[in-house]
Amino acid sequence: MQREQALQLVYDAIDVINRQLPASRRLAKSPDTVIVGPAGVLDSLGIVNFVVTLEERAGDVLNGPVMLLDSTALADEHTPLQTVGTLASFLETLEPS
Amino acid sequence: MTCGPLYFVADFNVETLAREVANSAMPGTAAQTAPPGPVMNALASGSPGPEWSAVIWTRPEGISGSFGRALTYEEPGTDAAIEDARVFAESVAQFGRGTRATFVISWVLPPWHRGYGPLDFHPRLGIARLLSRMNLTLADTLHGEANVFVLDAARWISAIGPRAWSDKLWYASKSPFTPAAFELAAADIAAAVAGLHGLSRRIVIVDLDDVLWGGTVGEIGWQRIKVGGHDYAGEAFADFQRALKALTRRGIQLAIVSRNEEAVALEAIDRHPEMALRRADFAAWKINWRDKAENVADLLAEIGLGAESAVFIDDSPVERARVAAGVPGVLVPDWPADPAKYRQALASLRCFDAPFVTDEDRKRAAMYAAQRSRQASRPAAGDLQTWRESLEVTVTAERLADANLERAAQLFNKTNQMNLATRRLTSGELLDWAAAAGHEVLTFRVTDRFGDSGLTGLVGLAFDGGRARLVDFVLSCRVLGRNVEDMLLHVAAARARAHGAAELVAEFRPTARNAPCLEFLRGSGFRADGERSFVWDLAEPYPRPAWVTLKLEVKS
């Protein structure tokens, strides 16, 4: 997957999740935006909604299942879910089925 | 206007819906979810308060163990499942009585659940059949509850398909539905709440060329425009006209704003044999070469509706943008380029959702046609009094009752201009207010020789010893200028005298729209007591317009 397409997928998922956040706390569509971690604004429900939404959209593009919601990954300091940028980088590594 | 806080009760994690409502569908609305635990316990605990509205959403297997067993292909206990639905509905009804309004979501199954396949509507086995019966039991049991509404979740699920549901979300967060499903649910809840507060749209203003028919009538003539016939676009335009006409049966008015020669356009409407909409179907029109935004504003002013009551449909993005910018408040939906999608685009609009459809709604198109005849008979200048007397106006006053409650509440919540206090109450709240000691609410029906204008007036009175307060004075602009407003004051004063009051006081509460009411009071003969207070000394009856017949069907 190309970087631009990967970023757009993440941004589309951000659009979905931002509907559930107050205007002042909405996620910026930027590679630096934190998804998981102390500086993130999403609580556990927000993260689950965000990741499952992204899994579906990425799965459509890659024509196969994409699994990002791994309970160990959420606690891992090297999780690809850290920021929008790391998430897009992870998506870039996935090959279409 | 605030629509009040919302309380969510569910047998799953409904937090995503609460957030969607509070942050997007109804921004600024306070939303709170019930503490975790059995739904029946939450319902039994009652609502947080009468100012709250509630949303109750459950899974059928969460409410009925018998239905849960049916899902695993055990012999369904049909009667037990129906009884579970009835008991649940009774609890919802009880809970709902303590709320401003309660919305209960119908039960659905995941779209991928195939049940018994071809046997799924089998009288004994069918799971889909059983669920349909449970939903009907829910709706039928709640039917008598004026402030409880069943919202159809099947529409959200079918719109989204399998992606409405996510087992992963269920396992990870105990929420079976996806954000996409909650987004649709929140939009419908917001529309229902808005409708309940009198904020539903009341008029659709349409362009003509390439909206009601294909082609430019001014160039090709009415004989060659596309509507009906053996042509996909012609069929689509005819179907769109029929869809608009169907809306009028829900009380939505139609009007035209179009750049055209009026005579040419009206000839097409009058003479084309396949036109589903005729001149009488439109409350008003502005067909000329002026700016469309100005035409929309003028048309709304003429028929006494605010911009927030109107929807404007035009095939031109430029005209849509002009009207959206020029008449803030008018809903201007994006409109598809393909006429085959017009009907669907219209049907998808939530802005017409209302808590009830009254007889007046169904007759409103005829009422506006009568109004046009009435206005046409009015002299442009000169002897207006003779004209008023010729109308043979009859006003019938009745007490607020179950039979007129829905229409009275609709009038109460939708009237802006001739409205003394602009209170907004649900039908249940209005009935409760009227039933309180020392209160009286009267409704007024108006007819004249041109037709029946229906229930178009309401007066709310509060009696306190020697002083009576005119709390509500509400009159539809449809009957303004026929001395009906004077008759309402006459009746209000007569009721106050009958209760032994010495004076009748009207306190005007200003809004952005009700200046006409202040103007009327200033010229009414009531004594001004400051800027906003008006008093009638009940030593004398308020004068009754002699040419208006009064039928007072109110017992003391």
Side-chain angles (χ1 to χ4, degrees):
Chain A
M1 187 183 299
Q2 298 292 312
R3 174 78 177 173
E4 211 160 285
Q5 188 179 25
L7 271 176
Q8 190 56 52
L9 280 172
V10 181
Y11 291 162
D12 289 348
I14 285 178
D15 282 338
V16 172
I17 223 65
N18 272 347
R19 295 185 56 84
Q20 298 157 28
L21 297 172
S24 59
R25 293 181 51 222
R26 288 186 173 167
L27 301 180
K29 290 189 206 174
S30 155
D32 300 330
T33 298
V34 175
I35 304 295
V36 172
V41 301
L42 295 179
D43 62 7
S44 59
L45 177 62
I47 291 170
V48 168
N49 278 331
F50 172 79
V51 173
V52 171
T53 300
L54 182 58
E55 280 184 351
E56 282 186 350
R57 285 159 192 254
D60 287 344
V61 170
L62 296 167
N63 197 29
V66 172
M67 290 196 282
L68 300 165
L69 191 64
D70 178 333
S71 52
T72 56
L74 293 179
D76 183 349
E77 62 180 287
H78 299 298
T79 173
L81 297 173
Q82 267 183 325
T83 66
V84 168
T86 58
L87 196 43
S89 299
F90 177 75
L91 292 175
E92 278 182 82
T93 67
L94 301 179
E95 296 290 335
S97 299
Chain B
M1 177 196 304
T2 174
C3 291
L6 269 174
Y7 189 63
F8 293 82
V9 180
D11 66 350
F12 55 85
N13 182 349
V14 77
E15 184 64 32
T16 300
L17 175 62
R19 293 177 184 183
E20 174 76 31
V21 166
N23 296 307
S24 287
M26 300 167 64
T29 298
Q32 183 182 317
T33 54
V39 162
M40 296 299 268
N41 291 357
L43 295 179
S45 301
S47 87
E51 72 279 18
W52 287 73
S53 294
V55 175
I56 301 170
W57 197 343
T58 58
R59 298 162 304 127
E61 66 271 31
I63 291 302
S64 172
S66 294
F67 185 80
R69 286 188 287 281
L71 279 179
T72 56
Y73 305 112
E74 290 185 44
E75 189 77 17
T78 302
D79 291 344
I82 299 295
E83 178 60 10
D84 290 339
R86 194 194 60 74
V87 169
F88 170 72
E90 293 286 359
S91 298
V92 171
Q94 183 67 33
F95 175 90
R97 287 173 205 139
T99 64
R100 193 170 171 79
T102 289
F103 304 98
V104 57
I105 313 298
S106 69
W107 290 304
V108 283
L109 282 174
W112 37 259
H113 194 289
R114 291 187 37 75
Y116 283 93
L119 288 176
D120 220 26
F121 270 87
H122 186 280
R124 186 169 53 83
L125 295 174
I127 297 171
R129 185 177 192 276
L130 179 56
L131 191 64
S132 299
R133 290 190 62 194
M134 288 173 67
N135 273 319
L136 286 175
T137 300
L138 177 69
D140 289 349
T141 308
L142 291 169
H143 173 62
E145 302 296 321
N147 67 333
V148 180
F149 305 91
V150 180
L151 300 187
D152 183 11
R155 195 164 43 208
W156 312 327
I157 306 305
S158 66
I160 298 169
R163 292 270 170 92
W165 229 279
S166 168
D167 274 348
K168 183 172 272 192
L169 282 174
W170 173 250
Y171 299 134
S173 67
K174 288 294 166 281
S175 174
F177 301 105
T178 60
F182 285 131
E183 185 179 334
L184 290 188
D188 271 8
I189 290 165
V193 170
L196 204 60
H197 289 79
L199 299 176
S200 49
R201 304 275 164 166
R202 303 159 67 183
I203 188 164
V204 179
I205 304 170
V206 291
D207 179 30
L208 293 176
D209 294 335
D210 293 320
V211 173
L212 287 197
W213 55 67
T216 304
V217 67
E219 292 175 4
I220 60 178
W222 66 264
Q223 299 91 338
R224 294 169 66 189
I225 56 176
K226 280 186 181 176
V227 57
H230 299 288
D231 172 84
Y232 100 89
E235 282 196 36
F237 284 115
D239 239 5
F240 179 55
Q241 287 196 19
R242 283 190 281 272
L244 285 166
K245 186 157 181 138
L247 267 188
T248 66
R249 295 178 199 117
R250 292 173 62 185
I252 314 298
Q253 296 310 293
L254 304 179
I256 300 167
V257 164
S258 171
R259 289 185 195 274
N260 257 308
E261 290 298 334
E262 180 174 313
V264 171
L266 291 178
E267 185 182 23
I269 291 168
D270 291 341
R271 297 189 63 184
H272 196 290
E274 303 226 34
M275 202 71 67
L277 292 170
R278 297 294 186 189
R279 201 186 286 223
D281 293 308
F282 296 97
W285 54 80
K286 293 279 178 193
I287 305 172
N288 53 45
W289 299 99
R290 292 174 59 214
D291 173 65
K292 282 201 179 177
E294 287 176 16
N295 270 331
V296 167
D298 287 353
L299 182 144
L300 290 172
E302 265 177 33
I303 60 178
L305 290 176
E308 68 284 352
S309 294
V311 177
F312 176 70
I313 293 174
D314 199 306
D315 62 307
S316 160
V318 174
E319 298 288 14
R320 292 202 298 268
R322 170 71 197 120
V323 169
V327 199
V330 171
L331 176 67
V332 185
D334 286 339
W335 204 246
D338 184 351
K341 294 182 177 169
Y342 282 10
R343 185 176 66 159
Q344 184 182 340
L346 181 70
S348 302
L349 295 175
R350 293 185 172 85
C351 57
F352 306 119
D353 288 5
F356 31 69
V357 178
T358 65
D359 283 347
E360 273 80 0
D361 290 331
R362 296 185 183 281
K363 295 175 188 163
R364 193 161 290 143
M367 289 175 183
Y368 273 101
Q371 178 70 357
R372 273 201 303 280
S373 303
R374 190 177 294 116
Q375 288 304 111
S377 75
R378 180 186 164 125
D383 192 1
L384 275 178
Q385 188 53 39
T386 302
W387 173 74
R388 283 196 195 102
E389 291 176 19
S390 75
L391 291 175
E392 300 166 16
V393 175
T394 297
V395 173
T396 303
E398 300 167 309
R399 218 185 281 277
L400 183 74
D402 283 342
N404 57 30
L405 176 61
E406 287 190 351
R407 169 58 190 156
Q410 184 186 52
L411 178 78
F412 190 88
N413 286 304
K414 287 195 163 190
T415 303
N416 292 305
Q417 296 187 84
M418 195 58 108
N419 198 330
L420 180 70
T422 319
R423 293 199 298 161
R424 299 304 192 210
L425 299 174
T426 64
S427 55
E429 289 168 338
L430 181 60
L431 197 60
D432 287 348
W433 191 89
H439 289 177
E440 186 167 282
V441 174
L442 303 175
T443 66
F444 297 83
R445 296 179 179 276
V446 178
T447 62
D448 68 10
R449 68 185 172 90
F450 287 98
D452 183 355
S453 297
L455 197 161
T456 39
L458 182 147
V459 157
L461 291 159
F463 307 110
D464 183 14
R467 202 163 191 250
R469 279 191 305 124
L470 184 62
V471 179
D472 300 296
F473 178 83
V474 181
L475 191 67
S476 166
C477 57
R478 291 210 307 269
V479 294
L480 277 178
R482 287 188 258 165
N483 299 109
V484 177
E485 49 272 48
D486 306 304
M487 186 58 91
L488 261 61
L489 287 186
H490 168 78
V491 173
R495 296 301 301 159
R497 280 162 62 95
H499 279 78
E503 61 180 20
L504 175 62
V505 181
E507 295 282 350
F508 175 76
R509 286 166 57 183
T511 69
R513 301 279 311 281
N514 67 348
C517 189
L518 180 61
E519 199 174 316
F520 166 67
L521 284 171
R522 284 176 173 156
S524 66
F526 274 50
R527 171 173 52 84
D529 182 15
E531 278 296 299
R532 296 175 183 168
S533 185
F534 299 85
V535 183
W536 183 259
D537 182 348
L538 292 170
E540 296 291 329
Y542 186 82
R544 168 181 171 171
W547 49 91
V548 177
T549 303
L550 174 64
K551 293 183 181 174
L552 193 58
E553 298 179 0
V554 179
K555 291 173 189 159
S556 292

